[in-house]
Amino acid sequence: MAAIDKVRIVVVGDAGVGKTSLVHLISHNEPISHPYWTIGCSVEVKLHEYKAGTPEEKLYFVELWDVGGWSAHKNSRNIFYNSVHGIVLVHDLTNRKSQQNLRKWLSEILNRDSRSQSDEGEYDAEQFAGSSIPIVVVGTKLDLVQPINEKGNNLRLSSIADECGADEINLDCKHVRHLAAGTSNAVRLSRFFDKVIQHRFHSKDSTVCELYVFV
Amino acid sequence: MSFIFDSCVMFFSLVIFFGGGWVFFLKKLFRDYEVQHWVVLLIFSVTFALSCTMFELIIFEILGVLDSSSRYFHWKLELYVTLFTEIVVLPFYIAYFTVSNIQMLPQARYIRVLLTFIAWCGSMYFFWKIGDPFPILSPKHGILSIEQCIGRIGVIGVTIMAVLSGFGAVNYPYTCMSYFVRPVSDADIQSLEKRLMQTMDMIVMKKKRIAMAKRDSLLHSGANKEQRSIWSMVKSFTCTDNVSVLKEETRALEELSRQLFLESVDLHNEQERKEYLKTFKGKYFNLLGHFFSVYCVWKIFMATINIVFDRVGKVDPVTRGIEIAVDYLGIQFDVRFWSQHISFWLVGIIIVTSIRGLLITLTKFFYAIASSKSSNIIVLCLAQIMGMYFVSCVLLMRMNMPIEYRSIITEVLGDLKFNFYHRWFDVIFLISALSSIGFLYIFGHITGIFGHIPYLAALR
């Protein structure tokens, strides 16, 4: 176990969007039975095969740090953002405001070092370009959105995913089939994990940062 | 002619308050949520506007603005509409949204409406029953009169007012005054955070071991499908035993990490308070806090005296103050003129601080307990509380006004036993203040209570 490397991914979003359900679904491959409000931070661990199916296949630990979204706890969350290798931004598809608030979350993570954080800290695109941490944007509660959009084709793209060049995944955390092996969601997620590992350990190999914009 | 003019003025002010309620709802309450049912926003703004216009009418009464008969008419109209909203509309919609939220019931529209109607009838019944132990039924009026409804709303509203006042009277001085701030240094916070991160690292390590154990057992069970030797069975048995032990340890560590995190939140809050008190605004509020805490102690004392000596004040503070000034201090001035102005300022300040205080409290409460599923229900409940609160505010304010201005309230609200409400307020206020003091003493801090509600809800 000591020989296996690890990467740290932080999962953020407003309170009640479904981060804990998402993290549980990813790490245990089953939906969570009794989700409770997250106080502080809850961690789950997933074993991920980097570059599965190729000769360079290697096992890594992916730590998913699910940070509680209560605004009252904002002043103490900074310690969880240290040495972060990947960011998962979670929003609720039934609530547009949670998507708009993702900017504040991103700026909270990127500005964790400054002591005086204003409440309305806005995310600055240039700031992000400097750090280049891999990001994925996940929309939850797909089953509650109008059935017409369930195929995912007509869902409004999140502008923040556009700006960061991040992948976008829309799913319903109560059913395993959304992340079953072979689905496009699972492929995107696994590609995100690979990107994080590559960014952390193999950044000398790739000189050009790849930017995806996927529909 | 003047009646039409007066109605225009009232309508115009109603629209302004409606806009105010609308903006408050969108910008403050529903800051993080999308408005999916516009009827909720509408009802909230209407309730807010009606309450504010009621207060406005009192101010007009004191200042003598508008024609007296049209004032009376608008009072009656306001009251009827407010009562209708509080008793019929709000409970109906609360029941409707609650029924819509329950997943287990069939979601066809007519079933929802039917269940809502049943729930509404049930709530009506309880509403009626509340009035039984109180002296509301007077032989002069029939069963379904307006006094009955106002009486019951008054009881509930006065209870809420007294609870909030008692709590606020104890909590405000505690949060604002400097010598209640515990000294917190950076080193304290850092050491606590280090402990928290160490706990998190231990949790991660244990989860890694669980994950490895699960993976190993999967591999082994795959490989040994043919040879089910005793050795492999024993190995898998101890494996699961290890896993459950690890899971237990992880659960305990997670509980510990939650506690440490909440402590860290408290320390950060204390430090922020310390920083705030260094600024000018902080110092100003600190000074206000000193005066206000003296006022709070006096209020608690007066409530006790009122109950012990069975005394309900007959004279309002304005007239009393003027009496003292004229009789003892020998200052001569135009009593009528000054009484009107001082009443205006006193009542105005009471109204503004009540509204502001209630809105701030409701906002904090909403942030603490709302989630995307329950936001509509909670905001409607808050609208209901707000309506009842403001109606009872009017009821109790009667005490603070000189007799010539009380007439409109007495006329419109009918033959209520106002003294009873004051006594009831004093009792509940005292109970609430004493229990807040006890709560503070045991738990040490109430400031963080709104931040800790999720934790209390999450206790398994």
PDB file of all heavy atoms in Angstrom, chain A residues 58-88:
ATOM      1  N   LYS A  58      -1.124   1.922 -14.253  1.00  0.00           N
ATOM      2  CA  LYS A  58      -0.606   1.965 -12.873  1.00  0.00           C
ATOM      3  C   LYS A  58      -1.756   2.296 -11.947  1.00  0.00           C
ATOM      4  O   LYS A  58      -2.683   3.040 -12.298  1.00  0.00           O
ATOM      5  CB  LYS A  58       0.482   3.047 -12.794  1.00  0.00           C
ATOM      6  CG  LYS A  58       1.315   2.949 -11.568  1.00  0.00           C
ATOM      7  CD  LYS A  58       2.453   3.960 -11.590  1.00  0.00           C
ATOM      8  CE  LYS A  58       3.028   3.993 -10.175  1.00  0.00           C
ATOM      9  NZ  LYS A  58       3.674   5.234  -9.857  1.00  0.00           N
ATOM     10  N   LEU A  59      -1.675   1.754 -10.735  1.00  0.00           N
ATOM     11  CA  LEU A  59      -2.733   1.964  -9.763  1.00  0.00           C
ATOM     12  C   LEU A  59      -2.450   3.215  -8.931  1.00  0.00           C
ATOM     13  O   LEU A  59      -1.339   3.420  -8.449  1.00  0.00           O
ATOM     14  CB  LEU A  59      -2.794   0.744  -8.838  1.00  0.00           C
ATOM     15  CG  LEU A  59      -4.084   0.530  -8.053  1.00  0.00           C
ATOM     16  CD1 LEU A  59      -5.248   0.412  -8.995  1.00  0.00           C
ATOM     17  CD2 LEU A  59      -3.963  -0.727  -7.214  1.00  0.00           C
ATOM     18  N   TYR A  60      -3.465   4.037  -8.780  1.00  0.00           N
ATOM     19  CA  TYR A  60      -3.323   5.226  -7.942  1.00  0.00           C
ATOM     20  C   TYR A  60      -4.492   5.315  -6.971  1.00  0.00           C
ATOM     21  O   TYR A  60      -5.590   4.838  -7.249  1.00  0.00           O
ATOM     22  CB  TYR A  60      -3.332   6.505  -8.795  1.00  0.00           C
ATOM     23  CG  TYR A  60      -2.047   6.794  -9.509  1.00  0.00           C
ATOM     24  CD1 TYR A  60      -1.833   6.348 -10.800  1.00  0.00           C
ATOM     25  CD2 TYR A  60      -1.035   7.527  -8.883  1.00  0.00           C
ATOM     26  CE1 TYR A  60      -0.654   6.625 -11.456  1.00  0.00           C
ATOM     27  CE2 TYR A  60       0.139   7.813  -9.538  1.00  0.00           C
ATOM     28  CZ  TYR A  60       0.328   7.353 -10.824  1.00  0.00           C
ATOM     29  OH  TYR A  60       1.495   7.626 -11.475  1.00  0.00           O
ATOM     30  N   PHE A  61      -4.240   5.981  -5.844  1.00  0.00           N
ATOM     31  CA  PHE A  61      -5.323   6.316  -4.927  1.00  0.00           C
ATOM     32  C   PHE A  61      -5.841   7.698  -5.293  1.00  0.00           C
ATOM     33  O   PHE A  61      -5.067   8.657  -5.376  1.00  0.00           O
ATOM     34  CB  PHE A  61      -4.804   6.403  -3.481  1.00  0.00           C
ATOM     35  CG  PHE A  61      -4.864   5.103  -2.743  1.00  0.00           C
ATOM     36  CD1 PHE A  61      -3.732   4.595  -2.147  1.00  0.00           C
ATOM     37  CD2 PHE A  61      -6.041   4.399  -2.635  1.00  0.00           C
ATOM     38  CE1 PHE A  61      -3.774   3.398  -1.467  1.00  0.00           C
ATOM     39  CE2 PHE A  61      -6.102   3.202  -1.951  1.00  0.00           C
ATOM     40  CZ  PHE A  61      -4.957   2.698  -1.377  1.00  0.00           C
ATOM     41  N   VAL A  62      -7.153   7.793  -5.491  1.00  0.00           N
ATOM     42  CA  VAL A  62      -7.747   9.103  -5.713  1.00  0.00           C
ATOM     43  C   VAL A  62      -8.532   9.463  -4.459  1.00  0.00           C
ATOM     44  O   VAL A  62      -9.490   8.771  -4.100  1.00  0.00           O
ATOM     45  CB  VAL A  62      -8.690   9.077  -6.938  1.00  0.00           C
ATOM     46  CG1 VAL A  62      -9.462  10.363  -7.023  1.00  0.00           C
ATOM     47  CG2 VAL A  62      -7.890   8.859  -8.195  1.00  0.00           C
ATOM     48  N   GLU A  63      -8.081  10.522  -3.762  1.00  0.00           N
ATOM     49  CA  GLU A  63      -8.782  10.949  -2.547  1.00  0.00           C
ATOM     50  C   GLU A  63      -9.792  12.022  -2.919  1.00  0.00           C
ATOM     51  O   GLU A  63      -9.423  13.047  -3.484  1.00  0.00           O
ATOM     52  CB  GLU A  63      -7.790  11.546  -1.544  1.00  0.00           C
ATOM     53  CG  GLU A  63      -6.796  10.574  -0.974  1.00  0.00           C
ATOM     54  CD  GLU A  63      -5.770  11.295  -0.109  1.00  0.00           C
ATOM     55  OE1 GLU A  63      -6.002  12.472   0.247  1.00  0.00           O
ATOM     56  OE2 GLU A  63      -4.731  10.680   0.186  1.00  0.00           O
ATOM     57  N   LEU A  64     -11.049  11.769  -2.591  1.00  0.00           N
ATOM     58  CA  LEU A  64     -12.087  12.756  -2.879  1.00  0.00           C
ATOM     59  C   LEU A  64     -12.474  13.450  -1.576  1.00  0.00           C
ATOM     60  O   LEU A  64     -13.060  12.839  -0.697  1.00  0.00           O
ATOM     61  CB  LEU A  64     -13.303  12.053  -3.494  1.00  0.00           C
ATOM     62  CG  LEU A  64     -13.030  11.439  -4.863  1.00  0.00           C
ATOM     63  CD1 LEU A  64     -14.064  10.402  -5.202  1.00  0.00           C
ATOM     64  CD2 LEU A  64     -13.029  12.539  -5.916  1.00  0.00           C
ATOM     65  N   TRP A  65     -12.113  14.709  -1.464  1.00  0.00           N
ATOM     66  CA  TRP A  65     -12.394  15.485  -0.258  1.00  0.00           C
ATOM     67  C   TRP A  65     -13.677  16.290  -0.487  1.00  0.00           C
ATOM     68  O   TRP A  65     -13.676  17.292  -1.213  1.00  0.00           O
ATOM     69  CB  TRP A  65     -11.217  16.428   0.035  1.00  0.00           C
ATOM     70  CG  TRP A  65     -10.009  15.705   0.504  1.00  0.00           C
ATOM     71  CD1 TRP A  65      -9.288  14.768  -0.194  1.00  0.00           C
ATOM     72  CD2 TRP A  65      -9.365  15.833   1.765  1.00  0.00           C
ATOM     73  NE1 TRP A  65      -8.248  14.316   0.570  1.00  0.00           N
ATOM     74  CE2 TRP A  65      -8.263  14.954   1.767  1.00  0.00           C
ATOM     75  CE3 TRP A  65      -9.605  16.616   2.902  1.00  0.00           C
ATOM     76  CZ2 TRP A  65      -7.410  14.828   2.859  1.00  0.00           C
ATOM     77  CZ3 TRP A  65      -8.749  16.491   3.979  1.00  0.00           C
ATOM     78  CH2 TRP A  65      -7.672  15.599   3.956  1.00  0.00           C
ATOM     79  N   ASP A  66     -14.736  15.855   0.151  1.00  0.00           N
ATOM     80  CA  ASP A  66     -16.055  16.450  -0.038  1.00  0.00           C
ATOM     81  C   ASP A  66     -16.253  17.503   1.063  1.00  0.00           C
ATOM     82  O   ASP A  66     -16.472  17.173   2.222  1.00  0.00           O
ATOM     83  CB  ASP A  66     -17.083  15.313   0.003  1.00  0.00           C
ATOM     84  CG  ASP A  66     -18.465  15.764   0.371  1.00  0.00           C
ATOM     85  OD1 ASP A  66     -18.835  16.896   0.073  1.00  0.00           O
ATOM     86  OD2 ASP A  66     -19.180  14.934   0.958  1.00  0.00           O
ATOM     87  N   VAL A  67     -16.165  18.770   0.672  1.00  0.00           N
ATOM     88  CA  VAL A  67     -16.184  19.860   1.653  1.00  0.00           C
ATOM     89  C   VAL A  67     -17.613  20.355   1.852  1.00  0.00           C
ATOM     90  O   VAL A  67     -18.323  20.623   0.884  1.00  0.00           O
ATOM     91  CB  VAL A  67     -15.302  21.030   1.142  1.00  0.00           C
ATOM     92  CG1 VAL A  67     -15.378  22.194   2.090  1.00  0.00           C
ATOM     93  CG2 VAL A  67     -13.875  20.560   0.994  1.00  0.00           C
ATOM     94  N   GLY A  68     -18.053  20.484   3.072  1.00  0.00           N
ATOM     95  CA  GLY A  68     -19.412  20.939   3.373  1.00  0.00           C
ATOM     96  C   GLY A  68     -19.651  22.361   2.867  1.00  0.00           C
ATOM     97  O   GLY A  68     -18.771  23.214   2.932  1.00  0.00           O
ATOM     98  N   GLY A  69     -20.835  22.627   2.351  1.00  0.00           N
ATOM     99  CA  GLY A  69     -21.093  23.884   1.662  1.00  0.00           C
ATOM    100  C   GLY A  69     -21.763  24.971   2.461  1.00  0.00           C
ATOM    101  O   GLY A  69     -22.221  25.954   1.897  1.00  0.00           O
ATOM    102  N   TRP A  70     -21.851  24.852   3.775  1.00  0.00           N
ATOM    103  CA  TRP A  70     -22.578  25.865   4.552  1.00  0.00           C
ATOM    104  C   TRP A  70     -21.793  27.168   4.581  1.00  0.00           C
ATOM    105  O   TRP A  70     -20.627  27.186   4.915  1.00  0.00           O
ATOM    106  CB  TRP A  70     -22.809  25.369   5.965  1.00  0.00           C
ATOM    107  CG  TRP A  70     -23.729  24.228   5.961  1.00  0.00           C
ATOM    108  CD1 TRP A  70     -23.400  22.919   6.016  1.00  0.00           C
ATOM    109  CD2 TRP A  70     -25.142  24.287   5.824  1.00  0.00           C
ATOM    110  NE1 TRP A  70     -24.516  22.146   5.926  1.00  0.00           N
ATOM    111  CE2 TRP A  70     -25.606  22.960   5.813  1.00  0.00           C
ATOM    112  CE3 TRP A  70     -26.071  25.329   5.718  1.00  0.00           C
ATOM    113  CZ2 TRP A  70     -26.952  22.652   5.693  1.00  0.00           C
ATOM    114  CZ3 TRP A  70     -27.405  25.015   5.605  1.00  0.00           C
ATOM    115  CH2 TRP A  70     -27.822  23.691   5.596  1.00  0.00           C
ATOM    116  N   SER A  71     -22.490  28.270   4.292  1.00  0.00           N
ATOM    117  CA  SER A  71     -21.808  29.556   4.242  1.00  0.00           C
ATOM    118  C   SER A  71     -21.319  29.978   5.619  1.00  0.00           C
ATOM    119  O   SER A  71     -20.379  30.743   5.738  1.00  0.00           O
ATOM    120  CB  SER A  71     -22.724  30.638   3.666  1.00  0.00           C
ATOM    121  OG  SER A  71     -23.971  30.598   4.302  1.00  0.00           O
ATOM    122  N   ALA A  72     -21.952  29.459   6.686  1.00  0.00           N
ATOM    123  CA  ALA A  72     -21.511  29.839   8.027  1.00  0.00           C
ATOM    124  C   ALA A  72     -20.141  29.267   8.347  1.00  0.00           C
ATOM    125  O   ALA A  72     -19.475  29.730   9.264  1.00  0.00           O
ATOM    126  CB  ALA A  72     -22.526  29.365   9.066  1.00  0.00           C
ATOM    127  N   HIS A  73     -19.726  28.238   7.610  1.00  0.00           N
ATOM    128  CA  HIS A  73     -18.450  27.596   7.920  1.00  0.00           C
ATOM    129  C   HIS A  73     -17.345  28.058   6.999  1.00  0.00           C
ATOM    130  O   HIS A  73     -16.302  27.428   6.911  1.00  0.00           O
ATOM    131  CB  HIS A  73     -18.596  26.068   7.781  1.00  0.00           C
ATOM    132  CG  HIS A  73     -19.559  25.496   8.770  1.00  0.00           C
ATOM    133  ND1 HIS A  73     -20.117  24.256   8.600  1.00  0.00           N
ATOM    134  CD2 HIS A  73     -20.060  25.978   9.908  1.00  0.00           C
ATOM    135  CE1 HIS A  73     -20.917  24.016   9.620  1.00  0.00           C
ATOM    136  NE2 HIS A  73     -20.907  25.042  10.418  1.00  0.00           N
ATOM    137  N   LYS A  74     -17.600  29.154   6.302  1.00  0.00           N
ATOM    138  CA  LYS A  74     -16.661  29.549   5.267  1.00  0.00           C
ATOM    139  C   LYS A  74     -15.283  29.849   5.823  1.00  0.00           C
ATOM    140  O   LYS A  74     -14.276  29.552   5.182  1.00  0.00           O
ATOM    141  CB  LYS A  74     -17.230  30.799   4.586  1.00  0.00           C
ATOM    142  CG  LYS A  74     -16.477  31.206   3.402  1.00  0.00           C
ATOM    143  CD  LYS A  74     -17.201  32.311   2.664  1.00  0.00           C
ATOM    144  CE  LYS A  74     -16.208  32.877   1.660  1.00  0.00           C
ATOM    145  NZ  LYS A  74     -16.772  33.688   0.676  1.00  0.00           N
ATOM    146  N   ASN A  75     -15.234  30.459   7.020  1.00  0.00           N
ATOM    147  CA  ASN A  75     -13.923  30.945   7.465  1.00  0.00           C
ATOM    148  C   ASN A  75     -12.974  29.826   7.860  1.00  0.00           C
ATOM    149  O   ASN A  75     -11.784  30.048   8.010  1.00  0.00           O
ATOM    150  CB  ASN A  75     -14.106  31.933   8.624  1.00  0.00           C
ATOM    151  CG  ASN A  75     -15.043  31.390   9.682  1.00  0.00           C
ATOM    152  OD1 ASN A  75     -15.362  30.199   9.682  1.00  0.00           O
ATOM    153  ND2 ASN A  75     -15.495  32.235  10.573  1.00  0.00           N
ATOM    154  N   SER A  76     -13.484  28.604   8.033  1.00  0.00           N
ATOM    155  CA  SER A  76     -12.595  27.530   8.486  1.00  0.00           C
ATOM    156  C   SER A  76     -12.286  26.510   7.414  1.00  0.00           C
ATOM    157  O   SER A  76     -11.626  25.521   7.698  1.00  0.00           O
ATOM    158  CB  SER A  76     -13.220  26.785   9.651  1.00  0.00           C
ATOM    159  OG  SER A  76     -13.959  27.652  10.425  1.00  0.00           O
ATOM    160  N   ARG A  77     -12.793  26.751   6.185  1.00  0.00           N
ATOM    161  CA  ARG A  77     -12.628  25.698   5.171  1.00  0.00           C
ATOM    162  C   ARG A  77     -11.271  25.725   4.504  1.00  0.00           C
ATOM    163  O   ARG A  77     -10.926  24.783   3.805  1.00  0.00           O
ATOM    164  CB  ARG A  77     -13.681  25.892   4.076  1.00  0.00           C
ATOM    165  CG  ARG A  77     -15.064  25.433   4.446  1.00  0.00           C
ATOM    166  CD  ARG A  77     -15.865  25.256   3.207  1.00  0.00           C
ATOM    167  NE  ARG A  77     -16.224  26.542   2.636  1.00  0.00           N
ATOM    168  CZ  ARG A  77     -17.448  27.038   2.637  1.00  0.00           C
ATOM    169  NH1 ARG A  77     -18.420  26.349   3.175  1.00  0.00           N
ATOM    170  NH2 ARG A  77     -17.697  28.208   2.098  1.00  0.00           N
ATOM    171  N   ASN A  78     -10.522  26.801   4.722  1.00  0.00           N
ATOM    172  CA  ASN A  78      -9.301  26.979   3.931  1.00  0.00           C
ATOM    173  C   ASN A  78      -8.296  25.858   4.071  1.00  0.00           C
ATOM    174  O   ASN A  78      -7.574  25.558   3.128  1.00  0.00           O
ATOM    175  CB  ASN A  78      -8.622  28.298   4.327  1.00  0.00           C
ATOM    176  CG  ASN A  78      -9.424  29.477   3.876  1.00  0.00           C
ATOM    177  OD1 ASN A  78     -10.202  29.359   2.953  1.00  0.00           O
ATOM    178  ND2 ASN A  78      -9.233  30.603   4.527  1.00  0.00           N
ATOM    179  N   ILE A  79      -8.241  25.227   5.237  1.00  0.00           N
ATOM    180  CA  ILE A  79      -7.208  24.201   5.404  1.00  0.00           C
ATOM    181  C   ILE A  79      -7.442  23.019   4.484  1.00  0.00           C
ATOM    182  O   ILE A  79      -6.516  22.266   4.172  1.00  0.00           O
ATOM    183  CB  ILE A  79      -7.153  23.696   6.854  1.00  0.00           C
ATOM    184  CG1 ILE A  79      -8.562  23.399   7.374  1.00  0.00           C
ATOM    185  CG2 ILE A  79      -6.467  24.681   7.738  1.00  0.00           C
ATOM    186  CD1 ILE A  79      -8.543  22.643   8.642  1.00  0.00           C
ATOM    187  N   PHE A  80      -8.681  22.805   4.033  1.00  0.00           N
ATOM    188  CA  PHE A  80      -8.920  21.654   3.165  1.00  0.00           C
ATOM    189  C   PHE A  80      -8.430  21.894   1.748  1.00  0.00           C
ATOM    190  O   PHE A  80      -8.396  20.965   0.937  1.00  0.00           O
ATOM    191  CB  PHE A  80     -10.412  21.331   3.119  1.00  0.00           C
ATOM    192  CG  PHE A  80     -10.991  20.974   4.448  1.00  0.00           C
ATOM    193  CD1 PHE A  80     -12.126  21.604   4.922  1.00  0.00           C
ATOM    194  CD2 PHE A  80     -10.400  20.011   5.248  1.00  0.00           C
ATOM    195  CE1 PHE A  80     -12.659  21.291   6.153  1.00  0.00           C
ATOM    196  CE2 PHE A  80     -10.923  19.693   6.483  1.00  0.00           C
ATOM    197  CZ  PHE A  80     -12.062  20.337   6.931  1.00  0.00           C
ATOM    198  N   TYR A  81      -8.124  23.165   1.426  1.00  0.00           N
ATOM    199  CA  TYR A  81      -7.749  23.457   0.047  1.00  0.00           C
ATOM    200  C   TYR A  81      -6.246  23.427  -0.193  1.00  0.00           C
ATOM    201  O   TYR A  81      -5.794  23.781  -1.278  1.00  0.00           O
ATOM    202  CB  TYR A  81      -8.266  24.841  -0.348  1.00  0.00           C
ATOM    203  CG  TYR A  81      -9.763  25.016  -0.241  1.00  0.00           C
ATOM    204  CD1 TYR A  81     -10.319  26.224   0.122  1.00  0.00           C
ATOM    205  CD2 TYR A  81     -10.626  23.963  -0.509  1.00  0.00           C
ATOM    206  CE1 TYR A  81     -11.687  26.384   0.216  1.00  0.00           C
ATOM    207  CE2 TYR A  81     -11.984  24.117  -0.412  1.00  0.00           C
ATOM    208  CZ  TYR A  81     -12.504  25.334  -0.050  1.00  0.00           C
ATOM    209  OH  TYR A  81     -13.855  25.496   0.044  1.00  0.00           O
ATOM    210  N   ASN A  82      -5.505  23.032   0.817  1.00  0.00           N
ATOM    211  CA  ASN A  82      -4.060  22.997   0.614  1.00  0.00           C
ATOM    212  C   ASN A  82      -3.659  21.838  -0.261  1.00  0.00           C
ATOM    213  O   ASN A  82      -4.201  20.744  -0.141  1.00  0.00           O
ATOM    214  CB  ASN A  82      -3.335  22.877   1.964  1.00  0.00           C
ATOM    215  CG  ASN A  82      -3.455  24.152   2.764  1.00  0.00           C
ATOM    216  OD1 ASN A  82      -3.549  25.221   2.199  1.00  0.00           O
ATOM    217  ND2 ASN A  82      -3.464  24.016   4.084  1.00  0.00           N
ATOM    218  N   SER A  83      -2.691  22.042  -1.131  1.00  0.00           N
ATOM    219  CA  SER A  83      -2.135  21.024  -2.030  1.00  0.00           C
ATOM    220  C   SER A  83      -3.230  20.195  -2.684  1.00  0.00           C
ATOM    221  O   SER A  83      -3.376  19.001  -2.457  1.00  0.00           O
ATOM    222  CB  SER A  83      -1.145  20.123  -1.304  1.00  0.00           C
ATOM    223  OG  SER A  83      -1.785  19.338  -0.337  1.00  0.00           O
ATOM    224  N   VAL A  84      -4.028  20.920  -3.470  1.00  0.00           N
ATOM    225  CA  VAL A  84      -5.120  20.268  -4.183  1.00  0.00           C
ATOM    226  C   VAL A  84      -4.677  19.993  -5.612  1.00  0.00           C
ATOM    227  O   VAL A  84      -4.074  20.847  -6.251  1.00  0.00           O
ATOM    228  CB  VAL A  84      -6.357  21.206  -4.137  1.00  0.00           C
ATOM    229  CG1 VAL A  84      -7.212  21.028  -5.359  1.00  0.00           C
ATOM    230  CG2 VAL A  84      -7.161  20.952  -2.904  1.00  0.00           C
ATOM    231  N   HIS A  85      -4.949  18.785  -6.127  1.00  0.00           N
ATOM    232  CA  HIS A  85      -4.491  18.450  -7.465  1.00  0.00           C
ATOM    233  C   HIS A  85      -5.597  18.449  -8.497  1.00  0.00           C
ATOM    234  O   HIS A  85      -5.326  18.365  -9.692  1.00  0.00           O
ATOM    235  CB  HIS A  85      -3.821  17.064  -7.463  1.00  0.00           C
ATOM    236  CG  HIS A  85      -2.762  16.952  -6.411  1.00  0.00           C
ATOM    237  ND1 HIS A  85      -2.721  15.922  -5.497  1.00  0.00           N
ATOM    238  CD2 HIS A  85      -1.729  17.750  -6.088  1.00  0.00           C
ATOM    239  CE1 HIS A  85      -1.694  16.097  -4.677  1.00  0.00           C
ATOM    240  NE2 HIS A  85      -1.076  17.195  -5.013  1.00  0.00           N
ATOM    241  N   GLY A  86      -6.842  18.524  -8.053  1.00  0.00           N
ATOM    242  CA  GLY A  86      -7.959  18.534  -8.986  1.00  0.00           C
ATOM    243  C   GLY A  86      -9.189  19.097  -8.294  1.00  0.00           C
ATOM    244  O   GLY A  86      -9.312  19.019  -7.075  1.00  0.00           O
ATOM    245  N   ILE A  87     -10.082  19.675  -9.048  1.00  0.00           N
ATOM    246  CA  ILE A  87     -11.282  20.282  -8.456  1.00  0.00           C
ATOM    247  C   ILE A  87     -12.517  19.728  -9.161  1.00  0.00           C
ATOM    248  O   ILE A  87     -12.567  19.677 -10.395  1.00  0.00           O
ATOM    249  CB  ILE A  87     -11.274  21.810  -8.632  1.00  0.00           C
ATOM    250  CG1 ILE A  87     -10.034  22.406  -7.973  1.00  0.00           C
ATOM    251  CG2 ILE A  87     -12.510  22.426  -8.005  1.00  0.00           C
ATOM    252  CD1 ILE A  87      -9.929  23.898  -8.161  1.00  0.00           C
ATOM    253  N   VAL A  88     -13.508  19.329  -8.389  1.00  0.00           N
ATOM    254  CA  VAL A  88     -14.800  18.936  -8.948  1.00  0.00           C
ATOM    255  C   VAL A  88     -15.808  19.982  -8.499  1.00  0.00           C
ATOM    256  O   VAL A  88     -16.038  20.164  -7.306  1.00  0.00           O
ATOM    257  CB  VAL A  88     -15.232  17.543  -8.439  1.00  0.00           C
ATOM    258  CG1 VAL A  88     -16.599  17.194  -8.977  1.00  0.00           C
ATOM    259  CG2 VAL A  88     -14.234  16.492  -8.859  1.00  0.00           C
TER     260      VAL A  88
END
